[in-house]
Amino acid sequence: MTKFFFGNWVTRCYLFAVGVSAAVLIGAQLATGDHGPSFAGIYLIGLTAPVSVIFAPIALLGDGWLAIAILWLSVVTGMLLNTLLINTIVGEAGRFRSRRA
């Protein structure tokens, strides 16, 4: 499982960016006391697109705990899907590079 998440530097950079934007969103929510999605959530939604973009309008239109749960679940799902895609693309490029050598 560790190799899946931290197997190459591209995945590490992506997960670092998602983690920083999630920390900024949580920090902004704690600092202001407003627990609804804010402008910092746009960065998080953009980094975890396309899955989170599909469900983000539902989360941003609603109010309450369900909207927040939908937002975070779509972000986590998008992060996992993008991590899988990045690992697949980088793995195939590595195999192609080793065949040419």
Side-chain angles (χ1 to χ4, degrees):
M1 194 68 150
T2 304
K3 186 168 173 91
F4 174 74
F5 284 110
F6 303 110
N8 54 49
W9 66 271
V10 179
T11 306
R12 281 180 246 149
C13 290
Y14 173 72
L15 292 176
F16 179 74
V18 171
V20 166
S21 62
V24 168
L25 176 64
I26 292 171
Q29 288 176 348
L30 292 176
T32 61
D34 180 27
H35 295 289
S38 65
F39 190 77
I42 293 173
Y43 295 117
L44 197 58
I45 291 169
L47 281 171
T48 57
V51 174
S52 60
V53 172
I54 294 169
F55 295 107
I58 299 169
L60 295 176
L61 288 177
D63 192 22
W65 67 271
L66 188 59
I68 295 170
I70 290 172
L71 177 67
W72 284 108
L73 287 174
S74 67
V75 164
V76 168
T77 306
M79 181 195 67
L80 290 174
L81 177 68
N82 288 343
T83 302
L84 177 67
L85 291 173
I86 289 170
N87 283 332
T88 303
I89 291 168
V90 171
E92 289 297 322
R95 285 191 210 123
F96 180 71
R97 187 176 21 173
S98 66
R99 281 188 220 148
R100 292 188 65 157

